[in-house]
Amino acid sequence: GAVVSQHPSWVICKSGTSVKIECRSLDFQATTMFWYRQFPKQSLMLMATSNEGSKATYEQGVEKDKFLINHASLTLSTLTVTSAHPEDSSFYICSAKAAGTTHSNQPQHFGDGTRLSIL
Amino acid sequence: GEDVEQSLFLSVREGDSSVINCTYTDSSSTYLYWYKQEPGAGLQLLTYIFSNMDMKQDQRLTVLLNKKDKHLSLRIADTQTGDSAIYFCAESQDDKIIFGKGTRLHILP
């Protein structure tokens, strides 16, 4: 149980294109989803926290107009990288927290990540 | 300084034990975690320990927690080639998980 599906797993596109990444909780409802960015050989950096039906909370230094997050349902959150440029190339990982979870042994379930390459 | 610190690399011979160390800063963390990331993949929760525990063992994995020193370690017994990955130490802070930079475990034949 507790599977998070992230799509696409790899995307290559031209500079200036907008790219949408989907994060779905397949067998549970997720009131909260998280978006992380990981640079090569680096840790995961939390970009934003996405709550169903409300605006996302962005971490300091993350441009909200650049990284648009929508969490329209309890099973889907999307991250859109607008007008992507080569410096946006990275590995993006989402995670989802099950509804009703407070502190637990696994508060977040992770997707397999999306590798974004901007040419 | 960083919230969670860990060494970046560890090389271990196959069959030996691997010990990955981590220090954290938030004494109010309820849970501390070890995640495994294989190349090009997402994160897999390996094990966790509740903050009022000193030790947890799960098959080949042993987690030791020294809350006074805010030190966490992961021991992998009988290390296999399939254990080659990046291991992230993490602490819970409210709804968030704060990750260390990860320790790349390399297995020597």
Side-chain angles (χ1 to χ4, degrees):
Chain A
V3 176
V4 174
S5 172
Q6 197 172 330
H7 179 80
S9 55
W10 201 320
V11 58
I12 303 172
C13 58
K14 292 182 179 179
S15 186
T17 308
S18 291
V19 179
K20 181 186 281 189
I21 303 169
E22 293 187 347
C23 181
R24 292 182 186 273
S25 56
L26 296 187
D27 50 1
F28 66 99
Q29 292 186 328
T31 48
T32 306
M33 289 185 172
F34 302 85
W35 287 96
Y36 296 85
R37 183 174 181 176
Q38 186 181 29
F39 292 101
K41 299 183 181 179
Q42 296 288 321
S43 186
L44 278 74
M45 181 193 78
L46 179 63
M47 298 174 66
T49 303
S50 163
N51 292 295
E52 186 265 337
S54 63
K55 290 184 179 179
T57 303
Y58 289 81
E59 296 298 304
Q60 193 172 7
V62 178
E63 298 177 59
K64 58 181 68 176
D65 294 330
K66 174 75 170 175
F67 300 99
L68 299 179
I69 291 172
N70 184 281
H71 192 160
S73 78
L74 285 172
T75 59
L76 175 64
S77 175
T78 61
L79 167 68
T80 301
V81 183
T82 60
S83 187
H85 288 93
E87 59 266 28
D88 299 322
S89 298
S90 194
F91 193 56
Y92 293 87
I93 303 176
C94 75
S95 69
K97 185 172 176 180
T101 302
T102 53
H103 287 293
S104 72
N105 56 12
Q106 183 160 209
Q108 296 181 27
H109 307 281
F110 285 84
D112 282 337
T114 297
R115 186 162 302 283
L116 176 61
S117 297
I118 309 298
L119 305 177
Chain B
E2 296 288 333
D3 290 299
V4 180
E5 291 192 5
Q6 54 185 124
S7 54
L8 297 182
F9 298 101
L10 178 65
S11 288
V12 174
R13 293 206 175 276
E14 189 175 357
D16 288 349
S17 292
S18 306
V19 179
I20 304 172
N21 294 301
C22 167
T23 55
Y24 61 98
T25 55
D26 188 350
S27 58
S28 67
S29 293
T30 306
Y31 285 94
L32 295 135
Y33 311 92
W34 284 103
Y35 284 88
K36 177 182 181 181
Q37 185 181 35
E38 297 185 7
L43 269 67
Q44 172 196 355
L45 178 66
L46 268 185
T47 187
Y48 65 95
I49 188 166
F50 192 49
S51 59
N52 68 354
M53 296 169 66
D54 297 323
M55 185 185 87
K56 180 180 179 182
Q57 187 157 1
D58 183 3
Q59 298 182 339
R60 291 192 297 124
L61 305 177
T62 304
V63 178
L64 295 178
L65 174 61
N66 181 330
K67 199 172 180 182
K68 174 177 168 288
D69 294 337
K70 299 193 186 74
H71 183 268
L72 184 72
S73 69
L74 173 69
R75 178 177 179 270
I76 305 173
D78 187 25
T79 308
Q80 304 296 309
T81 54
D83 296 325
S84 181
I86 301 175
Y87 292 81
F88 290 94
C89 172
E91 62 175 346
S92 60
Q93 284 186 6
D94 299 321
D95 261 3
K96 300 178 183 177
I97 296 180
I98 308 300
F99 292 89
K101 286 197 165 120
T103 299
R104 186 176 295 271
L105 178 62
H106 177 64
I107 314 302
L108 301 168

